[in-house]
Amino acid sequence: MKILRVIWSMDPKEGGPCQGIRNSVPELAKLGVYNEVVSLDLPDSKFIAGESFTIHAVGPRSGPWSYNAKLKPWLLENLQRFDAVIVHGLWQYHSYATMKALSQLKKQNPAISIPKLYVMPHGMLDPWFQKAKGRKLKAIRNWVFWKLVEGKVVNHADGVLFTCNAELKLARETFRPYHPLREINVSYGIKSPPSFSDSMRHSFLSACPDVKEFPYFLFLSRINYKKGVDILIQAYSIVLQECMARNKTLPKLVIAGPGIDSGYGLPLHKLVSENTLLSQHIFFPGMLSGAVKWGAFYGCEAFILPSHQENFGIAVVEALACSKPVLISNQVNIWTEIEEANAGIIEEDTLNGIVNMLKKWMELSEAGKEKMGRSAKNVFNTQFAIEPAALQFLKGIQQ
């Protein structure tokens, strides 16, 4: 089977969709499935070099819609080489171009065989995006796009692919008309991380030397309003002062990821840097990858992600794979699986919720934390490993 993935960008800074492709393609190759990717990145982008699969970068893209005049001609020339095409993500030109190219091919020659079209929204149909504070204009834009473009893409595709059952159900609440031909929970997973080594720890400590040998919580994701970083810092400050008053030691907080130089990230960095107490406990090492990232995971006491909306949470699963308990909000779509496995602490995505989360962790005994870590590894092996996820993915698109 040959699959074409169409995505706006393979830049790791763009978040989970491109990482999901990088996780699944090598495992699908073991099952005899051939994949290529076409993206709107610049051909000389550094993050494309060295990949084990073919990426056709036809960028650059321009404007808020990520328009690219080269994409549709490329699709018209190449689509017939594939059995299926998967559009990753919505609200960008690549979904429209794929639909139009397939339609044009069919009109030109009704007898030809064209690939099946699947759409993988990666949480972009979640109702949070239409209701969240500060997104009123974007919500109106999305409704317009839905009526003009995306509704047709979703409802006319051969199937819509979801990473978990919670995402599938939430997608039904957001837009009308919504009547996809098939809704398919194809699951999601990651490959097992490399085994821990001292070089990983040294690499991380070089990137974040202020942590030294102190215990720490790890936040590793985009520094963005959706991720709840602002309430995380507020909650941490509250619990830190309470711990100091009781002569207890709260682990440091490492906030790693791109976006610290954004309009959202800069005020948070300033808030911490100008506060003597917080600046000694909260650190921003930037985006971490490779051995540095795995050193951060293996060295942390627990992973924390208080997101207001999280389709799946690859970083959450990476933490589980490293036997680390996860402290997450109940807006991370895989929270029920984690709670049932006792692999973490789940709370509301509010200031009080995150305060309670940190306090619950501090009340756990060392034996309780170790047990939760073992449960984290177990739930990764049974529900989020790449091998069963790849099989479920293939089964979903072959039905």
Side-chain angles (χ1 to χ4, degrees):
M1 186 177 192
K2 295 183 178 180
I3 299 175
L4 175 66
R5 316 288 191 118
V6 187
I7 190 170
W8 74 96
S9 178
M10 287 296 288
D11 188 343
K13 292 180 181 179
E14 294 287 340
C18 63
Q19 187 57 47
I21 292 174
R22 288 185 170 93
N23 288 336
S24 65
V25 166
E27 194 62 32
L28 287 169
K30 298 176 185 177
L31 302 174
V33 180
Y34 176 77
N35 284 263
E36 291 183 20
V37 175
V38 59
S39 74
L40 304 182
D41 297 301
L42 290 169
D44 59 352
S45 299
K46 292 182 179 179
F47 50 81
I48 291 176
E51 292 289 357
S52 61
F53 53 92
T54 300
I55 300 177
H56 305 277
V58 298
R61 57 191 188 273
S62 62
W65 198 30
S66 296
Y67 175 75
N68 178 281
K70 296 179 181 178
L71 178 60
K72 186 182 171 186
W74 188 96
L75 290 168
L76 288 170
E77 185 176 346
N78 289 276
L79 277 171
Q80 288 179 262
R81 297 193 290 113
F82 299 92
D83 302 300
V85 55
I86 302 174
V87 170
H88 289 268
L90 299 170
W91 316 121
Q92 305 288 321
Y93 174 69
H94 69 294
S95 61
Y96 173 79
T98 304
M99 179 186 69
K100 296 298 287 185
L102 286 168
S103 177
Q104 185 172 328
L105 283 174
K106 194 66 176 176
K107 286 180 180 178
Q108 288 173 349
N109 187 349
I112 66 170
S113 176
I114 62 173
K116 288 186 175 182
L117 171 63
Y118 295 96
V119 176
M120 195 163 189
H122 294 279
M124 295 180 189
L125 293 178
D126 193 296
W128 180 85
F129 291 102
Q130 295 301 104
K131 300 175 181 178
K133 179 182 177 182
R135 287 187 56 89
K136 186 174 181 179
L137 290 178
K138 288 184 178 180
I140 295 171
R141 178 207 65 180
N142 286 355
W143 262 113
V144 173
F145 273 40
W146 179 263
K147 294 295 185 181
L148 296 177
V149 178
E150 301 296 3
K152 297 180 178 67
V153 176
V154 169
N155 291 326
H156 294 164
D158 293 280
V160 183
L161 310 179
F162 298 98
T163 60
C164 61
N165 201 46
E167 182 199 0
L168 185 154
K169 291 180 178 179
L170 285 168
R172 297 170 178 170
E173 303 176 10
T174 313
F175 296 102
R176 296 290 182 273
Y178 176 78
H179 46 75
L181 297 178
R182 292 176 64 206
E183 297 172 302
I184 311 167
N185 177 9
V186 293
S187 186
Y188 223 36
I190 67 166
K191 61 183 179 181
S192 296
S195 299
F196 172 75
S197 67
D198 281 337
S199 64
M200 292 177 180
R201 181 172 65 87
H202 294 314
S203 295
F204 170 64
L205 291 177
S206 295
C208 192
D210 292 322
V211 170
K212 300 177 183 176
E213 299 300 323
F214 295 111
Y216 62 90
F217 298 117
L218 175 66
F219 169 98
L220 193 152
S221 189
R222 287 180 295 121
I223 298 174
N224 179 279
Y225 169 77
K226 190 186 81 160
K227 306 293 182 175
V229 187
D230 52 338
I231 59 171
L232 172 59
I233 292 173
Q234 292 178 60
Y236 183 87
S237 176
I238 291 169
V239 178
L240 175 61
Q241 293 178 64
E242 290 184 9
C243 284
M244 294 182 69
R246 298 166 58 190
N247 200 29
K248 295 183 67 174
T249 301
L250 182 69
K252 309 289 187 181
L253 174 59
V254 174
I255 299 176
I260 193 60
D261 56 350
S262 67
Y264 174 77
L266 284 171
L268 296 179
H269 187 269
K270 182 179 180 182
L271 171 68
V272 171
S273 63
E274 292 180 353
N275 184 298
T276 303
L277 180 60
L278 291 182
S279 64
Q280 294 173 351
H281 288 81
I282 302 177
F283 310 110
F284 299 90
M287 185 173 176
L288 307 181
S289 60
V292 183
K293 181 185 81 170
W294 294 118
F297 273 121
Y298 278 118
C300 74
E301 217 180 72
F303 180 81
I304 188 163
L305 185 65
S307 278
H308 299 301
Q309 188 279 330
E310 200 71 37
N311 172 50
F312 179 80
I314 288 179
V316 176
V317 176
E318 288 177 329
L320 296 172
C322 295
S323 301
K324 298 300 175 178
V326 295
L327 316 183
I328 61 174
S329 74
N330 59 3
Q331 301 305 306
V332 178
N333 280 350
I334 57 173
W335 72 268
T336 54
E337 291 92 331
I338 291 167
E339 185 176 62
E340 289 170 2
N342 191 33
I345 297 174
I346 318 296
E347 284 289 344
E348 297 283 338
D349 61 326
T350 62
L351 179 60
N352 286 338
I354 308 311
V355 167
N356 290 337
M357 178 188 293
L358 293 170
K359 288 182 176 180
K360 285 181 179 180
W361 176 259
M362 294 301 292
E363 291 168 1
L364 277 177
S365 65
E366 289 304 312
K369 293 175 182 177
E370 290 174 5
K371 182 180 179 181
M372 195 173 282
R374 292 192 295 270
S375 297
K377 183 67 172 182
N378 183 60
V379 76
F380 166 75
N381 288 333
T382 57
Q383 300 202 47
F384 302 121
I386 191 62
E387 295 84 358
L391 284 169
Q392 186 167 335
F393 183 95
L394 185 56
K395 180 180 178 182
I397 64 173
Q398 285 182 331
Q399 289 178 347

